[in-house]
Short mmCIF file of all heavy atoms in Angstrom, two decimals:
data_model
loop_
_atom_site.label_atom_id
_atom_site.label_comp_id
_atom_site.label_asym_id
_atom_site.label_seq_id
_atom_site.Cartn_x
_atom_site.Cartn_y
_atom_site.Cartn_z
N MET A 130 -1.21 34.16 -10.50
CA MET A 130 -1.38 33.12 -9.49
C MET A 130 -0.89 31.76 -10.05
O MET A 130 -1.25 31.41 -11.01
CB MET A 130 -2.75 33.11 -8.92
CG MET A 130 -2.74 33.51 -7.50
SD MET A 130 -4.54 33.74 -6.88
CE MET A 130 -4.93 31.91 -6.84
N VAL A 131 -0.26 31.04 -9.18
CA VAL A 131 0.24 29.69 -9.49
C VAL A 131 -0.76 28.70 -8.83
O VAL A 131 -0.95 28.74 -7.65
CB VAL A 131 1.71 29.54 -9.07
CG1 VAL A 131 2.08 28.04 -9.58
CG2 VAL A 131 2.44 30.52 -9.65
N CYS A 132 -1.23 27.82 -9.58
CA CYS A 132 -2.08 26.67 -9.08
C CYS A 132 -1.23 25.48 -8.86
O CYS A 132 -0.71 24.94 -9.77
CB CYS A 132 -3.30 26.43 -10.05
SG CYS A 132 -4.38 25.25 -9.30
N PHE A 133 -1.32 24.90 -7.71
CA PHE A 133 -0.64 23.72 -7.47
C PHE A 133 -1.47 22.45 -7.48
O PHE A 133 -1.37 21.39 -6.77
CB PHE A 133 -0.05 23.75 -5.99
CG PHE A 133 1.11 24.61 -5.91
CD1 PHE A 133 0.88 25.90 -5.38
CD2 PHE A 133 2.46 24.39 -6.43
CE1 PHE A 133 1.98 26.88 -5.30
CE2 PHE A 133 3.32 25.30 -6.46
CZ PHE A 133 3.14 26.53 -5.82
N CYS A 134 -2.60 22.57 -8.25
CA CYS A 134 -3.63 21.56 -8.24
C CYS A 134 -3.39 20.43 -9.21
O CYS A 134 -4.13 19.55 -9.53
CB CYS A 134 -4.93 22.16 -8.63
SG CYS A 134 -6.40 21.43 -7.73
N PHE A 135 -2.07 20.43 -9.81
CA PHE A 135 -1.69 19.36 -10.83
C PHE A 135 -0.97 18.18 -10.09
O PHE A 135 -0.10 17.61 -10.62
CB PHE A 135 -0.74 19.88 -11.98
CG PHE A 135 -1.40 20.97 -12.63
CD1 PHE A 135 -1.02 22.34 -12.39
CD2 PHE A 135 -2.51 20.84 -13.53
CE1 PHE A 135 -1.61 23.41 -13.06
CE2 PHE A 135 -3.10 21.88 -14.18
CZ PHE A 135 -2.64 23.25 -14.08
N LEU A 136 -1.42 18.09 -8.84
CA LEU A 136 -0.73 17.07 -7.98
C LEU A 136 -1.41 15.66 -8.13
O LEU A 136 -2.50 15.37 -7.91
CB LEU A 136 -0.86 17.63 -6.60
CG LEU A 136 0.19 17.22 -5.68
CD1 LEU A 136 1.51 17.88 -6.04
CD2 LEU A 136 -0.23 17.70 -4.22
N VAL A 137 -0.47 14.80 -8.55
CA VAL A 137 -0.82 13.31 -8.52
C VAL A 137 -0.01 12.60 -7.50
O VAL A 137 1.26 12.71 -7.56
CB VAL A 137 -0.77 12.72 -9.90
CG1 VAL A 137 -1.04 11.21 -9.94
CG2 VAL A 137 -1.66 13.47 -10.91
N ASP A 138 -0.65 11.92 -6.67
CA ASP A 138 0.07 11.22 -5.70
C ASP A 138 -0.47 9.81 -5.41
O ASP A 138 -1.74 9.52 -5.92
CB ASP A 138 0.32 11.85 -4.40
CG ASP A 138 -0.96 12.06 -3.62
OD1 ASP A 138 -1.99 11.83 -4.11
OD2 ASP A 138 -0.91 12.41 -2.40
N GLN A 139 0.31 9.01 -4.94
CA GLN A 139 -0.14 7.57 -4.62
C GLN A 139 -0.09 7.27 -3.28
O GLN A 139 1.04 7.69 -2.49
CB GLN A 139 0.73 6.62 -5.55
CG GLN A 139 0.13 6.48 -6.75
CD GLN A 139 0.76 5.11 -7.56
OE1 GLN A 139 1.76 4.69 -7.30
NE2 GLN A 139 0.03 4.62 -8.59
N LYS A 140 -0.98 6.47 -2.67
CA LYS A 140 -0.80 6.19 -1.26
C LYS A 140 -1.10 4.69 -1.15
O LYS A 140 -2.01 4.24 -1.84
CB LYS A 140 -2.02 6.99 -0.49
CG LYS A 140 -1.71 7.37 0.91
CD LYS A 140 -2.62 8.33 1.50
CE LYS A 140 -3.85 7.51 1.93
NZ LYS A 140 -4.72 8.34 2.80
N ILE A 141 -0.28 4.07 -0.45
CA ILE A 141 -0.53 2.61 -0.11
C ILE A 141 -1.25 2.40 1.26
O ILE A 141 -0.70 2.81 2.13
CB ILE A 141 0.79 1.80 -0.22
CG1 ILE A 141 1.23 1.87 -1.57
CG2 ILE A 141 0.57 0.39 0.23
CD1 ILE A 141 2.65 1.17 -1.78
N VAL A 142 -2.39 1.74 1.17
CA VAL A 142 -3.21 1.56 2.35
C VAL A 142 -3.27 0.05 2.66
O VAL A 142 -3.53 -0.74 1.82
CB VAL A 142 -4.62 2.13 2.18
CG1 VAL A 142 -5.31 2.00 3.41
CG2 VAL A 142 -4.60 3.56 1.70
N VAL A 143 -3.07 -0.21 3.91
CA VAL A 143 -3.30 -1.77 4.39
C VAL A 143 -4.71 -1.79 4.92
O VAL A 143 -5.26 -1.11 5.85
CB VAL A 143 -2.37 -2.12 5.52
CG1 VAL A 143 -2.76 -3.63 5.94
CG2 VAL A 143 -1.05 -1.92 5.01
N ARG A 144 -5.63 -2.62 4.11
CA ARG A 144 -6.94 -2.61 4.51
C ARG A 144 -7.18 -3.63 5.57
O ARG A 144 -7.96 -3.25 6.48
CB ARG A 144 -7.71 -2.94 3.15
CG ARG A 144 -7.62 -1.88 2.22
CD ARG A 144 -8.38 -2.21 0.89
NE ARG A 144 -9.79 -2.39 1.01
CZ ARG A 144 -10.50 -3.32 0.39
NH1 ARG A 144 -10.02 -4.08 -0.55
NH2 ARG A 144 -11.88 -3.47 0.61
N ARG A 145 -6.69 -4.73 5.49
CA ARG A 145 -6.66 -5.63 6.68
C ARG A 145 -5.68 -6.67 6.44
O ARG A 145 -4.99 -6.83 5.42
CB ARG A 145 -8.07 -6.39 6.68
CG ARG A 145 -8.46 -7.04 5.36
CD ARG A 145 -9.66 -7.93 5.48
NE ARG A 145 -10.14 -8.45 4.17
CZ ARG A 145 -10.95 -7.67 3.46
NH1 ARG A 145 -11.53 -6.67 3.95
NH2 ARG A 145 -11.39 -8.22 2.30
N SER A 146 -5.28 -7.31 7.58
CA SER A 146 -4.11 -8.25 7.64
C SER A 146 -4.44 -9.27 8.62
O SER A 146 -5.11 -9.18 9.58
CB SER A 146 -2.79 -7.42 7.90
OG SER A 146 -2.78 -7.08 9.27
N LYS A 147 -3.79 -10.42 8.38
CA LYS A 147 -4.05 -11.46 9.37
C LYS A 147 -2.57 -12.21 9.44
O LYS A 147 -1.73 -12.07 8.62
CB LYS A 147 -5.07 -12.40 8.95
CG LYS A 147 -4.85 -13.09 7.67
CD LYS A 147 -5.90 -14.21 7.43
CE LYS A 147 -5.78 -14.78 6.07
NZ LYS A 147 -6.82 -15.30 5.50
N ALA A 148 -2.29 -13.00 10.50
CA ALA A 148 -1.13 -13.45 10.81
C ALA A 148 -0.76 -14.58 9.65
O ALA A 148 -1.61 -15.23 9.25
CB ALA A 148 -1.06 -14.26 12.09
N ALA A 149 0.54 -14.66 9.42
CA ALA A 149 0.99 -15.64 8.41
C ALA A 149 2.32 -16.24 8.77
O ALA A 149 2.95 -15.73 9.69
CB ALA A 149 1.16 -14.85 7.09
N ALA A 150 2.57 -17.46 8.28
CA ALA A 150 3.76 -18.02 8.45
C ALA A 150 4.89 -17.18 7.74
O ALA A 150 4.73 -16.66 6.70
CB ALA A 150 3.76 -19.46 7.98
N GLY A 151 6.06 -17.07 8.45
CA GLY A 151 7.20 -16.38 7.91
C GLY A 151 7.68 -15.30 8.74
O GLY A 151 7.14 -15.09 9.84
N MET A 152 8.84 -14.75 8.45
CA MET A 152 9.58 -13.91 9.21
C MET A 152 10.12 -12.73 8.34
O MET A 152 10.47 -12.88 7.19
CB MET A 152 10.70 -14.72 9.79
CG MET A 152 11.39 -14.05 11.01
SD MET A 152 12.62 -15.19 11.61
CE MET A 152 11.89 -16.16 12.71
N CYS A 153 10.12 -11.61 9.02
CA CYS A 153 10.72 -10.46 8.31
C CYS A 153 12.32 -10.60 8.17
O CYS A 153 12.88 -10.99 9.12
CB CYS A 153 10.44 -9.16 9.10
SG CYS A 153 11.19 -7.73 8.50
N SER A 154 12.75 -10.46 7.11
CA SER A 154 14.34 -10.49 6.83
C SER A 154 14.98 -9.41 7.49
O SER A 154 16.29 -9.47 7.63
CB SER A 154 14.56 -10.60 5.29
OG SER A 154 14.05 -9.42 4.72
N ARG A 155 14.32 -8.35 7.77
CA ARG A 155 14.93 -7.14 8.44
C ARG A 155 14.96 -7.20 9.78
O ARG A 155 16.04 -6.93 10.39
CB ARG A 155 14.33 -5.80 7.80
CG ARG A 155 15.10 -4.75 7.75
CD ARG A 155 14.30 -3.38 7.53
NE ARG A 155 14.03 -3.28 6.12
CZ ARG A 155 13.19 -2.42 5.67
NH1 ARG A 155 12.61 -1.53 6.46
NH2 ARG A 155 12.95 -2.26 4.43
N CYS A 156 13.85 -7.37 10.57
CA CYS A 156 13.81 -7.13 11.91
C CYS A 156 13.37 -8.51 12.58
O CYS A 156 13.24 -8.54 13.91
CB CYS A 156 12.87 -6.12 12.35
SG CYS A 156 11.14 -6.37 11.79
N ARG A 157 13.10 -9.69 11.87
CA ARG A 157 12.83 -11.02 12.45
C ARG A 157 11.56 -11.13 13.11
O ARG A 157 11.28 -11.90 13.96
CB ARG A 157 14.07 -11.39 13.30
CG ARG A 157 15.42 -11.49 12.62
CD ARG A 157 15.62 -12.76 11.97
NE ARG A 157 16.73 -12.72 11.08
CZ ARG A 157 16.85 -13.58 10.06
NH1 ARG A 157 15.95 -14.48 9.75
NH2 ARG A 157 17.83 -13.45 9.26
N ARG A 158 10.68 -10.08 12.94
CA ARG A 158 9.31 -10.24 13.45
C ARG A 158 8.42 -11.07 12.50
O ARG A 158 8.71 -11.35 11.37
CB ARG A 158 8.70 -8.86 13.77
CG ARG A 158 9.41 -7.93 14.76
CD ARG A 158 9.33 -8.75 16.17
NE ARG A 158 9.84 -7.93 17.17
CZ ARG A 158 9.02 -7.22 18.01
NH1 ARG A 158 7.74 -7.29 17.83
NH2 ARG A 158 9.58 -6.69 18.96
N SER A 159 7.30 -11.40 12.97
CA SER A 159 6.32 -12.21 12.29
C SER A 159 5.77 -11.48 11.07
O SER A 159 5.47 -10.24 11.07
CB SER A 159 5.20 -12.86 13.19
OG SER A 159 4.61 -11.74 13.70
N ALA A 160 5.51 -12.20 10.04
CA ALA A 160 4.92 -11.63 8.77
C ALA A 160 3.52 -11.71 8.85
O ALA A 160 2.83 -12.53 9.60
CB ALA A 160 5.50 -12.30 7.67
N ARG A 161 2.79 -10.83 8.14
CA ARG A 161 1.29 -10.77 8.08
C ARG A 161 0.87 -10.89 6.49
O ARG A 161 1.71 -10.22 5.70
CB ARG A 161 0.66 -9.61 8.78
CG ARG A 161 0.95 -9.54 10.22
CD ARG A 161 0.37 -8.51 10.91
NE ARG A 161 -1.17 -8.62 11.13
CZ ARG A 161 -1.69 -9.35 11.99
NH1 ARG A 161 -0.94 -10.04 12.83
NH2 ARG A 161 -2.95 -9.42 12.11
N VAL A 162 -0.17 -11.49 6.26
CA VAL A 162 -0.81 -11.30 4.92
C VAL A 162 -1.70 -10.21 5.06
O VAL A 162 -2.55 -10.11 5.77
CB VAL A 162 -1.55 -12.67 4.50
CG1 VAL A 162 -2.09 -12.53 3.16
CG2 VAL A 162 -0.68 -13.86 4.57
N ALA A 163 -1.51 -9.34 4.03
CA ALA A 163 -2.38 -8.00 3.95
C ALA A 163 -2.95 -7.79 2.76
O ALA A 163 -2.42 -8.15 1.64
CB ALA A 163 -1.35 -6.90 4.36
N ASP A 164 -4.22 -7.37 2.85
CA ASP A 164 -4.84 -6.72 1.54
C ASP A 164 -4.43 -5.39 1.48
O ASP A 164 -4.83 -4.50 2.37
CB ASP A 164 -6.54 -6.86 1.73
CG ASP A 164 -6.89 -8.29 1.57
OD1 ASP A 164 -6.23 -8.92 0.86
OD2 ASP A 164 -7.86 -8.52 2.35
N MET A 165 -3.62 -4.98 0.45
CA MET A 165 -3.17 -3.73 0.27
C MET A 165 -4.05 -2.98 -0.81
O MET A 165 -4.66 -3.63 -1.71
CB MET A 165 -1.73 -3.83 -0.31
CG MET A 165 -0.89 -4.60 0.46
SD MET A 165 -0.42 -3.97 2.20
CE MET A 165 0.83 -2.88 1.67
N GLN A 166 -4.07 -1.71 -0.80
CA GLN A 166 -4.74 -0.89 -1.74
C GLN A 166 -3.88 0.30 -2.21
O GLN A 166 -3.42 1.00 -1.32
CB GLN A 166 -5.95 -0.49 -1.25
CG GLN A 166 -6.88 -0.01 -2.36
CD GLN A 166 -8.38 0.35 -1.75
OE1 GLN A 166 -8.49 0.93 -0.74
NE2 GLN A 166 -9.40 -0.28 -2.33
N THR A 167 -3.58 0.40 -3.49
CA THR A 167 -2.87 1.59 -3.87
C THR A 167 -3.91 2.56 -4.45
O THR A 167 -4.83 2.30 -5.27
CB THR A 167 -1.94 1.23 -5.02
OG1 THR A 167 -1.01 0.25 -4.65
CG2 THR A 167 -1.07 2.41 -5.48
N VAL A 168 -3.86 3.75 -3.77
CA VAL A 168 -4.92 4.84 -4.17
C VAL A 168 -4.10 5.79 -4.81
O VAL A 168 -3.18 6.47 -4.34
CB VAL A 168 -5.68 5.35 -2.96
CG1 VAL A 168 -6.68 6.41 -3.35
CG2 VAL A 168 -6.32 4.16 -2.14
N THR A 169 -4.49 6.08 -6.22
CA THR A 169 -3.86 7.18 -6.92
C THR A 169 -4.87 8.43 -6.82
O THR A 169 -6.05 8.36 -7.12
CB THR A 169 -3.70 6.73 -8.37
OG1 THR A 169 -2.94 5.63 -8.34
CG2 THR A 169 -3.01 7.98 -9.13
N ARG A 170 -4.39 9.57 -6.45
CA ARG A 170 -5.08 10.75 -6.21
C ARG A 170 -4.60 11.84 -7.18
O ARG A 170 -3.56 11.98 -7.36
CB ARG A 170 -5.15 11.24 -4.79
CG ARG A 170 -5.52 10.12 -3.87
CD ARG A 170 -5.58 10.68 -2.43
NE ARG A 170 -4.31 11.22 -1.98
CZ ARG A 170 -4.16 11.85 -0.74
NH1 ARG A 170 -5.11 12.04 0.09
NH2 ARG A 170 -2.98 12.28 -0.52
N PHE A 171 -5.68 12.56 -7.50
CA PHE A 171 -5.43 13.82 -8.27
C PHE A 171 -6.21 15.03 -7.65
O PHE A 171 -7.24 14.92 -7.40
CB PHE A 171 -5.92 13.68 -9.68
CG PHE A 171 -5.70 14.84 -10.53
CD1 PHE A 171 -4.38 15.14 -11.06
CD2 PHE A 171 -6.90 15.64 -11.06
CE1 PHE A 171 -4.24 16.39 -11.85
CE2 PHE A 171 -6.63 16.84 -11.81
CZ PHE A 171 -5.45 17.05 -12.29
N CYS A 172 -5.36 15.97 -7.36
CA CYS A 172 -6.00 17.08 -6.48
C CYS A 172 -6.59 16.57 -5.16
O CYS A 172 -7.58 16.96 -4.79
CB CYS A 172 -6.85 17.83 -7.22
SG CYS A 172 -6.27 18.80 -8.62
N TYR A 173 -5.91 15.52 -4.57
CA TYR A 173 -6.41 14.89 -3.40
C TYR A 173 -7.63 14.28 -3.61
O TYR A 173 -8.33 13.91 -2.60
CB TYR A 173 -6.45 15.91 -2.24
CG TYR A 173 -5.25 16.52 -1.93
CD1 TYR A 173 -4.76 17.77 -2.35
CD2 TYR A 173 -4.10 15.64 -1.21
CE1 TYR A 173 -3.50 18.31 -2.06
CE2 TYR A 173 -2.91 16.19 -0.87
CZ TYR A 173 -2.57 17.61 -1.34
OH TYR A 173 -1.35 17.98 -1.06
N ILE A 174 -8.19 14.08 -4.84
CA ILE A 174 -9.40 13.27 -4.92
C ILE A 174 -9.09 11.97 -5.54
O ILE A 174 -8.42 11.86 -6.62
CB ILE A 174 -10.26 14.09 -5.96
CG1 ILE A 174 -10.65 15.41 -5.46
CG2 ILE A 174 -11.65 13.21 -6.20
CD1 ILE A 174 -11.23 16.39 -6.42
N PRO A 175 -9.32 10.83 -4.87
CA PRO A 175 -8.98 9.42 -5.34
C PRO A 175 -9.79 9.13 -6.59
O PRO A 175 -10.97 9.39 -6.74
CB PRO A 175 -9.51 8.60 -4.22
CG PRO A 175 -9.75 9.43 -2.98
CD PRO A 175 -10.05 10.78 -3.56
N PHE A 176 -8.95 8.79 -7.66
CA PHE A 176 -9.70 8.45 -8.91
C PHE A 176 -9.31 6.98 -9.37
O PHE A 176 -9.86 6.55 -10.50
CB PHE A 176 -9.34 9.47 -9.96
CG PHE A 176 -8.03 9.49 -10.58
CD1 PHE A 176 -7.66 8.93 -11.88
CD2 PHE A 176 -6.93 9.98 -9.94
CE1 PHE A 176 -6.37 8.85 -12.27
CE2 PHE A 176 -5.65 10.09 -10.33
CZ PHE A 176 -5.36 9.40 -11.56
N TYR A 177 -8.35 6.34 -8.71
CA TYR A 177 -7.96 5.07 -9.26
C TYR A 177 -7.64 4.24 -8.06
O TYR A 177 -6.76 4.69 -7.24
CB TYR A 177 -6.90 5.24 -10.31
CG TYR A 177 -6.29 3.79 -10.73
CD1 TYR A 177 -7.11 3.05 -11.55
CD2 TYR A 177 -4.99 3.47 -10.49
CE1 TYR A 177 -6.66 1.88 -12.05
CE2 TYR A 177 -4.55 2.20 -10.85
CZ TYR A 177 -5.43 1.48 -11.69
OH TYR A 177 -4.92 0.25 -12.13
N TRP A 178 -8.17 2.97 -7.90
CA TRP A 178 -7.82 2.26 -6.94
C TRP A 178 -7.26 0.81 -7.44
O TRP A 178 -7.71 0.30 -8.38
CB TRP A 178 -9.01 1.79 -6.04
CG TRP A 178 -9.60 2.87 -5.16
CD1 TRP A 178 -9.34 3.11 -3.83
CD2 TRP A 178 -10.51 3.77 -5.63
NE1 TRP A 178 -10.03 4.04 -3.48
CE2 TRP A 178 -10.78 4.64 -4.48
CE3 TRP A 178 -11.21 4.10 -6.84
CZ2 TRP A 178 -11.67 5.72 -4.55
CZ3 TRP A 178 -12.01 5.24 -6.86
CH2 TRP A 178 -12.39 5.88 -5.71
N LYS A 179 -6.30 0.33 -6.76
CA LYS A 179 -5.79 -1.01 -7.25
C LYS A 179 -5.61 -1.90 -5.87
O LYS A 179 -4.87 -1.44 -5.09
CB LYS A 179 -4.51 -0.88 -8.09
CG LYS A 179 -4.20 -2.17 -8.77
CD LYS A 179 -3.08 -2.04 -9.62
CE LYS A 179 -1.79 -2.22 -8.93
NZ LYS A 179 -0.62 -2.16 -9.80
N SER A 180 -6.24 -3.04 -5.86
CA SER A 180 -6.08 -3.82 -4.78
C SER A 180 -5.03 -4.93 -4.93
O SER A 180 -5.14 -5.53 -6.15
CB SER A 180 -7.40 -4.48 -4.28
OG SER A 180 -8.39 -3.37 -3.84
N TRP A 181 -4.29 -5.38 -4.18
CA TRP A 181 -3.23 -6.43 -4.18
C TRP A 181 -2.99 -7.04 -2.88
O TRP A 181 -3.30 -6.44 -1.85
CB TRP A 181 -2.08 -5.79 -4.94
CG TRP A 181 -1.49 -4.62 -4.38
CD1 TRP A 181 -2.05 -3.40 -4.59
CD2 TRP A 181 -0.23 -4.42 -3.69
NE1 TRP A 181 -1.25 -2.39 -4.05
CE2 TRP A 181 -0.18 -2.97 -3.43
CE3 TRP A 181 0.73 -5.28 -3.23
CZ2 TRP A 181 0.88 -2.48 -2.74
CZ3 TRP A 181 1.77 -4.76 -2.58
CH2 TRP A 181 1.84 -3.28 -2.38
N LYS A 182 -2.41 -8.15 -2.88
CA LYS A 182 -2.05 -8.73 -1.63
C LYS A 182 -0.55 -8.84 -1.50
O LYS A 182 0.20 -8.84 -2.49
CB LYS A 182 -2.55 -10.32 -1.81
CG LYS A 182 -4.00 -10.50 -1.38
CD LYS A 182 -4.26 -11.94 -1.26
CE LYS A 182 -5.70 -12.43 -0.88
NZ LYS A 182 -6.14 -11.64 0.33
N ALA A 183 -0.15 -8.73 -0.23
CA ALA A 183 1.29 -8.69 0.02
C ALA A 183 1.50 -9.37 1.35
O ALA A 183 0.65 -9.45 2.21
CB ALA A 183 1.79 -7.26 0.08
N ILE A 184 2.78 -9.83 1.45
CA ILE A 184 3.32 -10.36 2.82
C ILE A 184 3.99 -9.26 3.33
O ILE A 184 5.04 -8.65 2.78
CB ILE A 184 4.04 -11.61 2.73
CG1 ILE A 184 3.42 -12.72 1.92
CG2 ILE A 184 4.61 -12.06 4.00
CD1 ILE A 184 2.36 -13.46 2.56
N VAL A 185 3.51 -8.67 4.44
CA VAL A 185 4.35 -7.56 5.11
C VAL A 185 4.69 -7.80 6.57
O VAL A 185 4.15 -8.80 7.22
CB VAL A 185 3.30 -6.22 5.14
CG1 VAL A 185 3.09 -5.84 3.77
CG2 VAL A 185 2.05 -6.46 5.91
N CYS A 186 5.60 -7.15 6.94
CA CYS A 186 6.14 -7.34 8.42
C CYS A 186 5.13 -6.49 9.34
O CYS A 186 4.70 -5.47 8.95
CB CYS A 186 7.53 -6.71 8.42
SG CYS A 186 8.13 -6.71 10.11
N SER A 187 4.94 -7.24 10.51
CA SER A 187 4.00 -6.65 11.39
C SER A 187 4.53 -5.47 12.17
O SER A 187 3.93 -4.56 12.80
CB SER A 187 3.46 -7.70 12.38
OG SER A 187 4.58 -8.23 13.09
N LEU A 188 5.99 -5.46 12.19
CA LEU A 188 6.52 -4.29 13.01
C LEU A 188 7.03 -3.14 12.11
O LEU A 188 6.63 -2.14 12.27
CB LEU A 188 7.73 -4.98 13.73
CG LEU A 188 8.46 -3.91 14.64
CD1 LEU A 188 7.55 -3.65 15.82
CD2 LEU A 188 9.88 -4.49 15.11
N CYS A 189 7.87 -3.49 11.03
CA CYS A 189 8.54 -2.37 10.31
C CYS A 189 7.74 -2.12 9.06
O CYS A 189 8.11 -1.13 8.36
CB CYS A 189 10.04 -2.56 9.98
SG CYS A 189 10.30 -3.96 8.96
N GLY A 190 6.70 -2.94 8.63
CA GLY A 190 5.95 -2.62 7.40
C GLY A 190 6.73 -3.02 6.22
O GLY A 190 6.31 -2.64 5.07
N ASN A 191 7.81 -3.52 6.22
CA ASN A 191 8.59 -4.06 5.18
C ASN A 191 7.67 -5.04 4.27
O ASN A 191 7.13 -5.96 4.79
CB ASN A 191 9.90 -4.74 5.66
CG ASN A 191 10.80 -5.21 4.61
OD1 ASN A 191 10.78 -4.62 3.56
ND2 ASN A 191 11.71 -6.29 4.90
N ILE A 192 7.71 -4.79 3.08
CA ILE A 192 6.96 -5.75 2.11
C ILE A 192 7.81 -6.81 1.63
O ILE A 192 8.77 -6.72 1.06
CB ILE A 192 6.36 -4.96 0.82
CG1 ILE A 192 5.33 -3.90 1.41
CG2 ILE A 192 5.73 -5.86 0.04
CD1 ILE A 192 4.79 -2.92 0.25
N LEU A 193 7.52 -8.11 2.21
CA LEU A 193 8.35 -9.17 1.86
C LEU A 193 8.11 -9.77 0.57
O LEU A 193 8.92 -10.24 -0.13
CB LEU A 193 8.24 -10.28 2.95
CG LEU A 193 8.41 -9.72 4.41
CD1 LEU A 193 7.98 -10.94 5.33
CD2 LEU A 193 9.76 -9.25 4.77
N ARG A 194 6.83 -9.83 0.29
CA ARG A 194 6.42 -10.36 -1.09
C ARG A 194 5.15 -9.67 -1.39
O ARG A 194 4.29 -9.45 -0.66
CB ARG A 194 6.29 -11.80 -1.01
CG ARG A 194 5.96 -12.54 -2.27
CD ARG A 194 5.89 -14.05 -2.06
NE ARG A 194 7.23 -14.57 -1.51
CZ ARG A 194 7.22 -15.75 -1.02
NH1 ARG A 194 6.24 -16.60 -1.05
NH2 ARG A 194 8.41 -16.32 -0.53
N SER A 195 4.90 -9.38 -2.72
CA SER A 195 3.61 -8.90 -3.17
C SER A 195 3.10 -9.67 -4.21
O SER A 195 3.83 -10.21 -5.08
CB SER A 195 3.90 -7.32 -3.58
OG SER A 195 4.73 -7.37 -4.64
N TYR A 196 1.82 -9.78 -4.38
CA TYR A 196 1.04 -10.51 -5.32
C TYR A 196 0.25 -9.53 -6.20
O TYR A 196 -0.86 -9.37 -5.95
CB TYR A 196 0.22 -11.58 -4.81
CG TYR A 196 0.94 -12.58 -3.83
CD1 TYR A 196 0.92 -12.32 -2.38
CD2 TYR A 196 1.69 -13.61 -4.41
CE1 TYR A 196 1.53 -13.25 -1.51
CE2 TYR A 196 2.32 -14.30 -3.34
CZ TYR A 196 2.25 -14.21 -2.03
OH TYR A 196 2.88 -15.02 -1.16
N HIS A 197 0.98 -8.88 -7.08
CA HIS A 197 0.15 -7.93 -7.96
C HIS A 197 -0.43 -8.78 -8.97
O HIS A 197 0.03 -9.63 -9.46
CB HIS A 197 1.26 -6.95 -8.71
CG HIS A 197 1.54 -5.91 -7.72
ND1 HIS A 197 1.04 -4.70 -7.78
CD2 HIS A 197 2.61 -5.75 -6.85
CE1 HIS A 197 1.61 -3.99 -6.82
NE2 HIS A 197 2.59 -4.55 -6.34
N LYS A 198 -1.70 -8.27 -9.32
CA LYS A 198 -2.48 -8.99 -10.29
C LYS A 198 -2.16 -8.48 -11.63
O LYS A 198 -1.85 -7.31 -11.86
CB LYS A 198 -3.94 -8.90 -9.97
CG LYS A 198 -4.42 -9.90 -9.13
CD LYS A 198 -5.84 -9.65 -8.63
CE LYS A 198 -6.11 -10.16 -7.32
NZ LYS A 198 -7.29 -9.42 -6.63
ZN1 ZN B 347 10.33 -6.07 9.75
#
């Protein structure tokens, strides 16, 4: 039997966002300041979180700028 449990994946979650000055370079919609969180999972169990801030587009989700610590 083959076990597919060696799966590590990463998910980017927007925890909250608020309006910000700026414009998306792709679709010209307004930008938002968002608290982002990268969740790394192993066997679908989260074991590592990293929070960071980013300027994202409110429409297409394009990340205009990120502030990784
Ligand atoms: Zn956009």
